[in-house]
Amino acid sequence: MTLGKIYTIVNQKGGVGKTTTAINLGAYLGNFGQKVLIIDIDPQSNATSCLGINKHDIDSGTYNVLIGAQPILPQILHNPRFKLSLLPSSPALAGAEIELIDVQNREYSLKNILEPIKYRYDYILIDCPPSLGLLTVNGLVAAIDGVLIPVQCEFLALEGLGQLTRTINLVKTSLYKELEIRGVILTMFDGRTNLASDVVEEVRRYFGDQVFNTIIPRSIRLAEAPSYGQPISIYAPESTGGQAYKALAKELLAADNIHKTIIQEVT
Ligand SMILES: Nc1ncnc2c1ncn2[C@@H]1O[C@H](COP(=O)(O)OP(=O)(O)OP(=O)(O)O)[C@@H](O)[C@H]1O
Ligand SMILES: [Mg+2]
């Protein structure tokens, strides 16, 4: 029996660790025996590139699926070594924002596409672009089990989160009333600075117990892994970044009540 959970990773602020979290949380959920699908809905296609796929080689990914030109299943790529599946994105996706404008129920496109296939997977993680446009709204509406918000432990970390919360509330009132924040993930923590610790405190004050206990440290290995086209679970599992994403996966599984006996690492 698969779980069919769908989480959307969102923050309209750029470079906060959305894609890094999608790939590496996903890879460790895979290592813990979960069937994981990553959906790249960012025209930058970073999740696609981070997994070693040339976005310019993709002629049929998220874009074609979203505009209804292709069914989703044949477009999904599987990487048994990474223990991940991916619906890849390509630069063409930038056009979808405009092309979908004339489509009826355009905010529900992704949700409707995922609905019939979600039970093929335990976890579907949707990696959003850094904007609050139609693609992200599609991601929010499809987030059946809630949104994961990475927050970078830097100056002005909370800036923009008010706007994100307002967008989430807007989607809640007008499109999907069960939408909820599943958790806030603190990323790029630099233990050498007081500022980082202050930010952690501030974010915890603001979001309370919605913040995951696991904090993702700043880790050179995490920044390097994409250039090798590998998740950290393959590139440098022993690094602090690798261990942190492994801990985050464990924390999410425990919170989702996946019994401990199931979560033995498959390596
Ligand atoms: N914990 C970390 N330690 C060091 N570098 C990191 C860490 N997390 C992410 N990075 C690096 O920071 C940059 C931004 O991360 P990432 O692409 O995951 O952010 P994003 O929120 O997806 O960005 P965008 O908004 O452009 O989609 C990348 O170069 C990534 O490799
Ligand atoms: Mg990204």
PDB file of all heavy atoms in Angstrom, residues 11-22 42 44 46 50 127-131 150 152 187-189 216-226 241 245, ligand 1:
ATOM      1  N   ASN A  11       8.321  28.823  -1.607  1.00  0.00           N
ATOM      2  CA  ASN A  11       8.741  30.091  -1.006  1.00  0.00           C
ATOM      3  C   ASN A  11       9.060  30.977  -2.207  1.00  0.00           C
ATOM      4  O   ASN A  11       9.882  30.584  -3.051  1.00  0.00           O
ATOM      5  CB  ASN A  11       9.985  29.913  -0.124  1.00  0.00           C
ATOM      6  CG  ASN A  11      10.300  31.183   0.662  1.00  0.00           C
ATOM      7  OD1 ASN A  11       9.901  32.276   0.264  1.00  0.00           O
ATOM      8  ND2 ASN A  11      11.019  31.047   1.763  1.00  0.00           N
ATOM      9  N   GLN A  12       8.376  32.107  -2.317  1.00  0.00           N
ATOM     10  CA  GLN A  12       8.590  32.927  -3.515  1.00  0.00           C
ATOM     11  C   GLN A  12       9.940  33.604  -3.505  1.00  0.00           C
ATOM     12  O   GLN A  12      10.370  34.177  -4.507  1.00  0.00           O
ATOM     13  CB  GLN A  12       7.457  33.941  -3.711  1.00  0.00           C
ATOM     14  CG  GLN A  12       7.577  35.211  -2.903  1.00  0.00           C
ATOM     15  CD  GLN A  12       7.105  35.035  -1.460  1.00  0.00           C
ATOM     16  OE1 GLN A  12       6.942  33.915  -0.974  1.00  0.00           O
ATOM     17  NE2 GLN A  12       6.909  36.132  -0.762  1.00  0.00           N
ATOM     18  N   LYS A  13      10.623  33.534  -2.359  1.00  0.00           N
ATOM     19  CA  LYS A  13      11.965  34.083  -2.308  1.00  0.00           C
ATOM     20  C   LYS A  13      12.902  33.105  -3.038  1.00  0.00           C
ATOM     21  O   LYS A  13      12.809  31.889  -2.846  1.00  0.00           O
ATOM     22  CB  LYS A  13      12.367  34.203  -0.841  1.00  0.00           C
ATOM     23  CG  LYS A  13      13.474  35.156  -0.575  1.00  0.00           C
ATOM     24  CD  LYS A  13      13.470  35.493   0.906  1.00  0.00           C
ATOM     25  CE  LYS A  13      14.637  36.344   1.267  1.00  0.00           C
ATOM     26  NZ  LYS A  13      14.585  36.714   2.683  1.00  0.00           N
ATOM     27  N   GLY A  14      13.817  33.647  -3.832  1.00  0.00           N
ATOM     28  CA  GLY A  14      14.707  32.781  -4.595  1.00  0.00           C
ATOM     29  C   GLY A  14      15.873  32.268  -3.739  1.00  0.00           C
ATOM     30  O   GLY A  14      16.296  32.929  -2.796  1.00  0.00           O
ATOM     31  N   GLY A  15      16.369  31.106  -4.104  1.00  0.00           N
ATOM     32  CA  GLY A  15      17.606  30.608  -3.522  1.00  0.00           C
ATOM     33  C   GLY A  15      17.571  30.259  -2.050  1.00  0.00           C
ATOM     34  O   GLY A  15      18.583  30.338  -1.365  1.00  0.00           O
ATOM     35  N   VAL A  16      16.405  29.847  -1.547  1.00  0.00           N
ATOM     36  CA  VAL A  16      16.311  29.522  -0.114  1.00  0.00           C
ATOM     37  C   VAL A  16      16.485  28.028   0.176  1.00  0.00           C
ATOM     38  O   VAL A  16      16.491  27.612   1.334  1.00  0.00           O
ATOM     39  CB  VAL A  16      14.968  30.002   0.493  1.00  0.00           C
ATOM     40  CG1 VAL A  16      14.849  31.518   0.408  1.00  0.00           C
ATOM     41  CG2 VAL A  16      13.782  29.330  -0.183  1.00  0.00           C
ATOM     42  N   GLY A  17      16.618  27.230  -0.890  1.00  0.00           N
ATOM     43  CA  GLY A  17      16.819  25.790  -0.679  1.00  0.00           C
ATOM     44  C   GLY A  17      15.606  24.932  -1.032  1.00  0.00           C
ATOM     45  O   GLY A  17      15.524  23.779  -0.603  1.00  0.00           O
ATOM     46  N   LYS A  18      14.702  25.456  -1.847  1.00  0.00           N
ATOM     47  CA  LYS A  18      13.530  24.655  -2.253  1.00  0.00           C
ATOM     48  C   LYS A  18      13.963  23.413  -3.027  1.00  0.00           C
ATOM     49  O   LYS A  18      13.602  22.291  -2.703  1.00  0.00           O
ATOM     50  CB  LYS A  18      12.586  25.480  -3.158  1.00  0.00           C
ATOM     51  CG  LYS A  18      11.896  26.627  -2.465  1.00  0.00           C
ATOM     52  CD  LYS A  18      10.967  27.381  -3.411  1.00  0.00           C
ATOM     53  CE  LYS A  18      11.673  28.220  -4.458  1.00  0.00           C
ATOM     54  NZ  LYS A  18      12.432  29.359  -3.925  1.00  0.00           N
ATOM     55  N   THR A  19      14.747  23.658  -4.084  1.00  0.00           N
ATOM     56  CA  THR A  19      15.132  22.552  -4.961  1.00  0.00           C
ATOM     57  C   THR A  19      16.050  21.578  -4.226  1.00  0.00           C
ATOM     58  O   THR A  19      15.893  20.352  -4.339  1.00  0.00           O
ATOM     59  CB  THR A  19      15.827  23.118  -6.220  1.00  0.00           C
ATOM     60  OG1 THR A  19      14.921  24.008  -6.863  1.00  0.00           O
ATOM     61  CG2 THR A  19      16.221  22.012  -7.178  1.00  0.00           C
ATOM     62  N   THR A  20      17.005  22.125  -3.470  1.00  0.00           N
ATOM     63  CA  THR A  20      17.925  21.276  -2.701  1.00  0.00           C
ATOM     64  C   THR A  20      17.131  20.370  -1.760  1.00  0.00           C
ATOM     65  O   THR A  20      17.446  19.183  -1.595  1.00  0.00           O
ATOM     66  CB  THR A  20      18.905  22.172  -1.911  1.00  0.00           C
ATOM     67  OG1 THR A  20      19.535  23.055  -2.847  1.00  0.00           O
ATOM     68  CG2 THR A  20      19.954  21.358  -1.196  1.00  0.00           C
ATOM     69  N   THR A  21      16.076  20.929  -1.175  1.00  0.00           N
ATOM     70  CA  THR A  21      15.241  20.145  -0.257  1.00  0.00           C
ATOM     71  C   THR A  21      14.426  19.098  -1.020  1.00  0.00           C
ATOM     72  O   THR A  21      14.352  17.936  -0.596  1.00  0.00           O
ATOM     73  CB  THR A  21      14.328  21.097   0.550  1.00  0.00           C
ATOM     74  OG1 THR A  21      15.161  21.953   1.337  1.00  0.00           O
ATOM     75  CG2 THR A  21      13.380  20.327   1.452  1.00  0.00           C
ATOM     76  N   ALA A  22      13.851  19.503  -2.148  1.00  0.00           N
ATOM     77  CA  ALA A  22      13.050  18.543  -2.921  1.00  0.00           C
ATOM     78  C   ALA A  22      13.885  17.314  -3.284  1.00  0.00           C
ATOM     79  O   ALA A  22      13.487  16.170  -3.057  1.00  0.00           O
ATOM     80  CB  ALA A  22      12.507  19.214  -4.178  1.00  0.00           C
ATOM     81  N   ASP A  42       9.219  24.343 -12.120  1.00  0.00           N
ATOM     82  CA  ASP A  42       9.970  25.585 -12.249  1.00  0.00           C
ATOM     83  C   ASP A  42      10.586  25.659 -13.649  1.00  0.00           C
ATOM     84  O   ASP A  42      11.330  24.751 -14.041  1.00  0.00           O
ATOM     85  CB  ASP A  42      11.090  25.591 -11.188  1.00  0.00           C
ATOM     86  CG  ASP A  42      11.870  26.898 -11.177  1.00  0.00           C
ATOM     87  OD1 ASP A  42      11.654  27.747 -12.075  1.00  0.00           O
ATOM     88  OD2 ASP A  42      12.708  27.063 -10.274  1.00  0.00           O
ATOM     89  N   GLN A  44      13.007  27.231 -14.565  1.00  0.00           N
ATOM     90  CA  GLN A  44      14.468  27.181 -14.454  1.00  0.00           C
ATOM     91  C   GLN A  44      14.975  25.744 -14.542  1.00  0.00           C
ATOM     92  O   GLN A  44      16.151  25.504 -14.778  1.00  0.00           O
ATOM     93  CB  GLN A  44      14.936  27.736 -13.098  1.00  0.00           C
ATOM     94  CG  GLN A  44      14.656  29.183 -12.822  1.00  0.00           C
ATOM     95  CD  GLN A  44      15.183  29.589 -11.444  1.00  0.00           C
ATOM     96  OE1 GLN A  44      16.237  30.185 -11.324  1.00  0.00           O
ATOM     97  NE2 GLN A  44      14.439  29.245 -10.398  1.00  0.00           N
ATOM     98  N   ASN A  46      15.742  23.557 -12.316  1.00  0.00           N
ATOM     99  CA  ASN A  46      16.894  23.213 -11.471  1.00  0.00           C
ATOM    100  C   ASN A  46      16.819  21.794 -10.905  1.00  0.00           C
ATOM    101  O   ASN A  46      17.833  21.108 -10.838  1.00  0.00           O
ATOM    102  CB  ASN A  46      17.044  24.211 -10.325  1.00  0.00           C
ATOM    103  CG  ASN A  46      17.481  25.579 -10.821  1.00  0.00           C
ATOM    104  OD1 ASN A  46      17.954  25.710 -11.948  1.00  0.00           O
ATOM    105  ND2 ASN A  46      17.301  26.603 -10.014  1.00  0.00           N
ATOM    106  N   CYS A  50      19.727  19.258 -11.467  1.00  0.00           N
ATOM    107  CA  CYS A  50      20.406  18.705 -10.280  1.00  0.00           C
ATOM    108  C   CYS A  50      20.443  17.178 -10.313  1.00  0.00           C
ATOM    109  O   CYS A  50      21.292  16.557  -9.693  1.00  0.00           O
ATOM    110  CB  CYS A  50      19.707  19.128  -8.991  1.00  0.00           C
ATOM    111  SG  CYS A  50      19.966  20.846  -8.562  1.00  0.00           S
ATOM    112  N   ASP A 127       8.343  20.878  -6.661  1.00  0.00           N
ATOM    113  CA  ASP A 127       9.343  21.950  -6.504  1.00  0.00           C
ATOM    114  C   ASP A 127       8.891  23.190  -7.277  1.00  0.00           C
ATOM    115  O   ASP A 127       8.847  23.183  -8.498  1.00  0.00           O
ATOM    116  CB  ASP A 127      10.700  21.454  -7.033  1.00  0.00           C
ATOM    117  CG  ASP A 127      11.797  22.494  -6.831  1.00  0.00           C
ATOM    118  OD1 ASP A 127      11.690  23.311  -5.896  1.00  0.00           O
ATOM    119  OD2 ASP A 127      12.773  22.482  -7.608  1.00  0.00           O
ATOM    120  N   CYS A 128       8.560  24.255  -6.540  1.00  0.00           N
ATOM    121  CA  CYS A 128       7.988  25.472  -7.146  1.00  0.00           C
ATOM    122  C   CYS A 128       9.059  26.467  -7.577  1.00  0.00           C
ATOM    123  O   CYS A 128      10.149  26.498  -7.026  1.00  0.00           O
ATOM    124  CB  CYS A 128       7.086  26.179  -6.140  1.00  0.00           C
ATOM    125  SG  CYS A 128       5.544  25.331  -5.843  1.00  0.00           S
ATOM    126  N   PRO A 129       8.702  27.326  -8.534  1.00  0.00           N
ATOM    127  CA  PRO A 129       9.600  28.437  -8.897  1.00  0.00           C
ATOM    128  C   PRO A 129       9.542  29.537  -7.828  1.00  0.00           C
ATOM    129  O   PRO A 129       8.627  29.550  -7.002  1.00  0.00           O
ATOM    130  CB  PRO A 129       9.011  28.946 -10.215  1.00  0.00           C
ATOM    131  CG  PRO A 129       7.578  28.536 -10.187  1.00  0.00           C
ATOM    132  CD  PRO A 129       7.470  27.306  -9.342  1.00  0.00           C
ATOM    133  N   PRO A 130      10.490  30.472  -7.859  1.00  0.00           N
ATOM    134  CA  PRO A 130      10.460  31.574  -6.900  1.00  0.00           C
ATOM    135  C   PRO A 130       9.507  32.684  -7.318  1.00  0.00           C
ATOM    136  O   PRO A 130       9.945  33.779  -7.650  1.00  0.00           O
ATOM    137  CB  PRO A 130      11.913  32.052  -6.884  1.00  0.00           C
ATOM    138  CG  PRO A 130      12.447  31.685  -8.222  1.00  0.00           C
ATOM    139  CD  PRO A 130      11.699  30.469  -8.687  1.00  0.00           C
ATOM    140  N   SER A 131       8.234  32.393  -7.353  1.00  0.00           N
ATOM    141  CA  SER A 131       7.235  33.403  -7.684  1.00  0.00           C
ATOM    142  C   SER A 131       5.917  32.922  -7.108  1.00  0.00           C
ATOM    143  O   SER A 131       5.807  31.784  -6.640  1.00  0.00           O
ATOM    144  CB  SER A 131       7.094  33.551  -9.194  1.00  0.00           C
ATOM    145  OG  SER A 131       6.339  32.476  -9.708  1.00  0.00           O
ATOM    146  N   PRO A 150      10.855  26.098   2.959  1.00  0.00           N
ATOM    147  CA  PRO A 150      12.247  26.273   3.386  1.00  0.00           C
ATOM    148  C   PRO A 150      12.507  27.753   3.686  1.00  0.00           C
ATOM    149  O   PRO A 150      12.084  28.619   2.916  1.00  0.00           O
ATOM    150  CB  PRO A 150      13.076  25.823   2.170  1.00  0.00           C
ATOM    151  CG  PRO A 150      12.112  25.237   1.201  1.00  0.00           C
ATOM    152  CD  PRO A 150      10.766  25.821   1.522  1.00  0.00           C
ATOM    153  N   GLN A 152      15.656  30.313   4.710  1.00  0.00           N
ATOM    154  CA  GLN A 152      17.116  30.413   4.830  1.00  0.00           C
ATOM    155  C   GLN A 152      17.473  31.185   6.108  1.00  0.00           C
ATOM    156  O   GLN A 152      16.905  32.240   6.373  1.00  0.00           O
ATOM    157  CB  GLN A 152      17.635  31.158   3.599  1.00  0.00           C
ATOM    158  CG  GLN A 152      19.128  31.145   3.484  1.00  0.00           C
ATOM    159  CD  GLN A 152      19.605  31.863   2.215  1.00  0.00           C
ATOM    160  OE1 GLN A 152      18.799  32.184   1.344  1.00  0.00           O
ATOM    161  NE2 GLN A 152      20.882  32.114   2.144  1.00  0.00           N
ATOM    162  N   THR A 187      17.034  26.280   6.607  1.00  0.00           N
ATOM    163  CA  THR A 187      18.104  25.840   5.709  1.00  0.00           C
ATOM    164  C   THR A 187      19.333  26.750   5.797  1.00  0.00           C
ATOM    165  O   THR A 187      19.241  27.889   6.264  1.00  0.00           O
ATOM    166  CB  THR A 187      17.627  25.847   4.234  1.00  0.00           C
ATOM    167  OG1 THR A 187      17.322  27.188   3.858  1.00  0.00           O
ATOM    168  CG2 THR A 187      16.400  24.978   4.023  1.00  0.00           C
ATOM    169  N   MET A 188      20.441  26.226   5.312  1.00  0.00           N
ATOM    170  CA  MET A 188      21.704  26.988   5.188  1.00  0.00           C
ATOM    171  C   MET A 188      22.120  27.627   6.504  1.00  0.00           C
ATOM    172  O   MET A 188      22.591  28.763   6.539  1.00  0.00           O
ATOM    173  CB  MET A 188      21.594  28.035   4.072  1.00  0.00           C
ATOM    174  CG  MET A 188      21.392  27.382   2.716  1.00  0.00           C
ATOM    175  SD  MET A 188      21.454  28.576   1.384  1.00  0.00           S
ATOM    176  CE  MET A 188      19.944  28.199   0.532  1.00  0.00           C
ATOM    177  N   PHE A 189      21.962  26.892   7.578  1.00  0.00           N
ATOM    178  CA  PHE A 189      22.326  27.388   8.904  1.00  0.00           C
ATOM    179  C   PHE A 189      23.850  27.395   9.060  1.00  0.00           C
ATOM    180  O   PHE A 189      24.510  26.387   8.803  1.00  0.00           O
ATOM    181  CB  PHE A 189      21.694  26.485   9.975  1.00  0.00           C
ATOM    182  CG  PHE A 189      22.047  26.868  11.374  1.00  0.00           C
ATOM    183  CD1 PHE A 189      21.403  27.923  12.005  1.00  0.00           C
ATOM    184  CD2 PHE A 189      23.040  26.185  12.068  1.00  0.00           C
ATOM    185  CE1 PHE A 189      21.722  28.286  13.306  1.00  0.00           C
ATOM    186  CE2 PHE A 189      23.372  26.542  13.358  1.00  0.00           C
ATOM    187  CZ  PHE A 189      22.710  27.598  13.979  1.00  0.00           C
ATOM    188  N   ILE A 216      18.906  22.313   8.546  1.00  0.00           N
ATOM    189  CA  ILE A 216      19.857  21.979   7.479  1.00  0.00           C
ATOM    190  C   ILE A 216      21.031  22.968   7.541  1.00  0.00           C
ATOM    191  O   ILE A 216      20.834  24.168   7.401  1.00  0.00           O
ATOM    192  CB  ILE A 216      19.190  22.063   6.078  1.00  0.00           C
ATOM    193  CG1 ILE A 216      17.877  21.247   6.026  1.00  0.00           C
ATOM    194  CG2 ILE A 216      20.181  21.626   4.990  1.00  0.00           C
ATOM    195  CD1 ILE A 216      18.016  19.768   6.302  1.00  0.00           C
ATOM    196  N   PRO A 217      22.241  22.481   7.774  1.00  0.00           N
ATOM    197  CA  PRO A 217      23.389  23.389   7.850  1.00  0.00           C
ATOM    198  C   PRO A 217      23.851  23.827   6.459  1.00  0.00           C
ATOM    199  O   PRO A 217      23.523  23.180   5.458  1.00  0.00           O
ATOM    200  CB  PRO A 217      24.465  22.513   8.497  1.00  0.00           C
ATOM    201  CG  PRO A 217      24.134  21.132   8.039  1.00  0.00           C
ATOM    202  CD  PRO A 217      22.631  21.078   7.908  1.00  0.00           C
ATOM    203  N   ARG A 218      24.590  24.902   6.432  1.00  0.00           N
ATOM    204  CA  ARG A 218      25.282  25.257   5.205  1.00  0.00           C
ATOM    205  C   ARG A 218      26.343  24.176   4.979  1.00  0.00           C
ATOM    206  O   ARG A 218      27.077  23.828   5.893  1.00  0.00           O
ATOM    207  CB  ARG A 218      25.929  26.636   5.368  1.00  0.00           C
ATOM    208  CG  ARG A 218      26.385  27.246   4.095  1.00  0.00           C
ATOM    209  CD  ARG A 218      26.729  28.714   4.294  1.00  0.00           C
ATOM    210  NE  ARG A 218      25.590  29.588   4.091  1.00  0.00           N
ATOM    211  CZ  ARG A 218      25.033  29.826   2.907  1.00  0.00           C
ATOM    212  NH1 ARG A 218      25.501  29.259   1.812  1.00  0.00           N
ATOM    213  NH2 ARG A 218      24.012  30.642   2.801  1.00  0.00           N
ATOM    214  N   SER A 219      26.387  23.633   3.798  1.00  0.00           N
ATOM    215  CA  SER A 219      27.295  22.508   3.540  1.00  0.00           C
ATOM    216  C   SER A 219      27.802  22.602   2.110  1.00  0.00           C
ATOM    217  O   SER A 219      27.020  22.663   1.157  1.00  0.00           O
ATOM    218  CB  SER A 219      26.531  21.191   3.759  1.00  0.00           C
ATOM    219  OG  SER A 219      27.034  20.146   2.956  1.00  0.00           O
ATOM    220  N   ILE A 220      29.113  22.647   1.997  1.00  0.00           N
ATOM    221  CA  ILE A 220      29.711  22.764   0.664  1.00  0.00           C
ATOM    222  C   ILE A 220      29.295  21.584  -0.217  1.00  0.00           C
ATOM    223  O   ILE A 220      29.011  21.732  -1.398  1.00  0.00           O
ATOM    224  CB  ILE A 220      31.247  22.849   0.785  1.00  0.00           C
ATOM    225  CG1 ILE A 220      31.606  24.204   1.430  1.00  0.00           C
ATOM    226  CG2 ILE A 220      31.926  22.717  -0.567  1.00  0.00           C
ATOM    227  CD1 ILE A 220      33.049  24.322   1.858  1.00  0.00           C
ATOM    228  N   ARG A 221      29.238  20.419   0.406  1.00  0.00           N
ATOM    229  CA  ARG A 221      28.863  19.217  -0.367  1.00  0.00           C
ATOM    230  C   ARG A 221      27.461  19.342  -0.986  1.00  0.00           C
ATOM    231  O   ARG A 221      27.222  18.884  -2.093  1.00  0.00           O
ATOM    232  CB  ARG A 221      28.914  17.973   0.527  1.00  0.00           C
ATOM    233  CG  ARG A 221      30.302  17.633   1.024  1.00  0.00           C
ATOM    234  CD  ARG A 221      31.104  16.928  -0.053  1.00  0.00           C
ATOM    235  NE  ARG A 221      32.446  16.658   0.399  1.00  0.00           N
ATOM    236  CZ  ARG A 221      33.499  17.424   0.140  1.00  0.00           C
ATOM    237  NH1 ARG A 221      33.357  18.522  -0.582  1.00  0.00           N
ATOM    238  NH2 ARG A 221      34.690  17.101   0.580  1.00  0.00           N
ATOM    239  N   LEU A 222      26.557  19.975  -0.247  1.00  0.00           N
ATOM    240  CA  LEU A 222      25.198  20.164  -0.787  1.00  0.00           C
ATOM    241  C   LEU A 222      25.227  21.066  -2.014  1.00  0.00           C
ATOM    242  O   LEU A 222      24.477  20.864  -2.966  1.00  0.00           O
ATOM    243  CB  LEU A 222      24.274  20.786   0.263  1.00  0.00           C
ATOM    244  CG  LEU A 222      23.649  19.839   1.290  1.00  0.00           C
ATOM    245  CD1 LEU A 222      22.879  20.646   2.332  1.00  0.00           C
ATOM    246  CD2 LEU A 222      22.734  18.819   0.632  1.00  0.00           C
ATOM    247  N   ALA A 223      26.110  22.061  -1.970  1.00  0.00           N
ATOM    248  CA  ALA A 223      26.202  22.989  -3.104  1.00  0.00           C
ATOM    249  C   ALA A 223      26.908  22.338  -4.291  1.00  0.00           C
ATOM    250  O   ALA A 223      26.644  22.682  -5.444  1.00  0.00           O
ATOM    251  CB  ALA A 223      26.928  24.259  -2.665  1.00  0.00           C
ATOM    252  N   GLU A 224      27.784  21.374  -3.991  1.00  0.00           N
ATOM    253  CA  GLU A 224      28.551  20.714  -5.063  1.00  0.00           C
ATOM    254  C   GLU A 224      27.756  19.622  -5.789  1.00  0.00           C
ATOM    255  O   GLU A 224      27.932  19.418  -7.000  1.00  0.00           O
ATOM    256  CB  GLU A 224      29.791  20.021  -4.461  1.00  0.00           C
ATOM    257  CG  GLU A 224      30.925  20.937  -4.137  1.00  0.00           C
ATOM    258  CD  GLU A 224      32.020  20.210  -3.350  1.00  0.00           C
ATOM    259  OE1 GLU A 224      31.848  19.010  -3.002  1.00  0.00           O
ATOM    260  OE2 GLU A 224      33.044  20.842  -3.069  1.00  0.00           O
ATOM    261  N   ALA A 225      26.921  18.919  -5.027  1.00  0.00           N
ATOM    262  CA  ALA A 225      26.261  17.720  -5.567  1.00  0.00           C
ATOM    263  C   ALA A 225      25.557  17.958  -6.914  1.00  0.00           C
ATOM    264  O   ALA A 225      25.678  17.130  -7.825  1.00  0.00           O
ATOM    265  CB  ALA A 225      25.285  17.155  -4.534  1.00  0.00           C
ATOM    266  N   PRO A 226      24.838  19.107  -7.077  1.00  0.00           N
ATOM    267  CA  PRO A 226      24.141  19.313  -8.361  1.00  0.00           C
ATOM    268  C   PRO A 226      25.068  19.299  -9.574  1.00  0.00           C
ATOM    269  O   PRO A 226      24.685  18.834 -10.650  1.00  0.00           O
ATOM    270  CB  PRO A 226      23.497  20.703  -8.200  1.00  0.00           C
ATOM    271  CG  PRO A 226      23.347  20.885  -6.734  1.00  0.00           C
ATOM    272  CD  PRO A 226      24.528  20.188  -6.119  1.00  0.00           C
ATOM    273  N   GLY A 241      25.534  17.948   5.476  1.00  0.00           N
ATOM    274  CA  GLY A 241      24.312  18.188   4.711  1.00  0.00           C
ATOM    275  C   GLY A 241      23.555  16.884   4.443  1.00  0.00           C
ATOM    276  O   GLY A 241      22.331  16.825   4.539  1.00  0.00           O
ATOM    277  N   TYR A 245      19.744  15.995   5.815  1.00  0.00           N
ATOM    278  CA  TYR A 245      18.571  15.636   5.003  1.00  0.00           C
ATOM    279  C   TYR A 245      18.057  14.241   5.353  1.00  0.00           C
ATOM    280  O   TYR A 245      16.854  13.977   5.278  1.00  0.00           O
ATOM    281  CB  TYR A 245      18.856  15.807   3.507  1.00  0.00           C
ATOM    282  CG  TYR A 245      18.586  17.238   3.071  1.00  0.00           C
ATOM    283  CD1 TYR A 245      19.627  18.098   2.744  1.00  0.00           C
ATOM    284  CD2 TYR A 245      17.286  17.742   3.046  1.00  0.00           C
ATOM    285  CE1 TYR A 245      19.376  19.428   2.383  1.00  0.00           C
ATOM    286  CE2 TYR A 245      17.029  19.057   2.690  1.00  0.00           C
ATOM    287  CZ  TYR A 245      18.065  19.896   2.355  1.00  0.00           C
ATOM    288  OH  TYR A 245      17.797  21.197   2.019  1.00  0.00           O
TER     289      TYR A 245
HETATM  290  N1  LIG B   1      22.384  23.794   2.935  1.00  0.00           N
HETATM  291  C1  LIG B   1      23.060  24.326   1.910  1.00  0.00           C
HETATM  292  N2  LIG B   1      24.394  24.553   2.009  1.00  0.00           N
HETATM  293  C2  LIG B   1      25.084  25.105   0.987  1.00  0.00           C
HETATM  294  N3  LIG B   1      24.546  25.447  -0.171  1.00  0.00           N
HETATM  295  C3  LIG B   1      23.234  25.251  -0.345  1.00  0.00           C
HETATM  296  C4  LIG B   1      22.418  24.678   0.685  1.00  0.00           C
HETATM  297  N4  LIG B   1      21.141  24.604   0.227  1.00  0.00           N
HETATM  298  C5  LIG B   1      21.157  25.104  -1.015  1.00  0.00           C
HETATM  299  N5  LIG B   1      22.395  25.499  -1.366  1.00  0.00           N
HETATM  300  C6  LIG B   1      22.813  26.132  -2.626  1.00  0.00           C
HETATM  301  O1  LIG B   1      22.189  27.402  -2.675  1.00  0.00           O
HETATM  302  C7  LIG B   1      21.687  27.678  -3.979  1.00  0.00           C
HETATM  303  C8  LIG B   1      20.174  27.866  -3.902  1.00  0.00           C
HETATM  304  O2  LIG B   1      19.578  26.649  -3.484  1.00  0.00           O
HETATM  305  P1  LIG B   1      18.292  26.069  -4.213  1.00  0.00           P
HETATM  306  O3  LIG B   1      18.480  26.067  -5.685  1.00  0.00           O
HETATM  307  O4  LIG B   1      17.924  24.799  -3.561  1.00  0.00           O
HETATM  308  O5  LIG B   1      17.239  27.191  -3.815  1.00  0.00           O
HETATM  309  P2  LIG B   1      15.791  27.436  -4.467  1.00  0.00           P
HETATM  310  O6  LIG B   1      14.942  28.012  -3.390  1.00  0.00           O
HETATM  311  O7  LIG B   1      15.313  26.221  -5.133  1.00  0.00           O
HETATM  312  O8  LIG B   1      16.137  28.544  -5.567  1.00  0.00           O
HETATM  313  P3  LIG B   1      15.117  29.101  -6.694  1.00  0.00           P
HETATM  314  O9  LIG B   1      14.224  30.027  -5.943  1.00  0.00           O
HETATM  315  O10 LIG B   1      15.984  29.784  -7.692  1.00  0.00           O
HETATM  316  O11 LIG B   1      14.384  27.931  -7.246  1.00  0.00           O
HETATM  317  C9  LIG B   1      22.107  26.504  -4.834  1.00  0.00           C
HETATM  318  O12 LIG B   1      23.310  26.821  -5.455  1.00  0.00           O
HETATM  319  C10 LIG B   1      22.311  25.379  -3.842  1.00  0.00           C
HETATM  320  O13 LIG B   1      23.263  24.426  -4.281  1.00  0.00           O
END
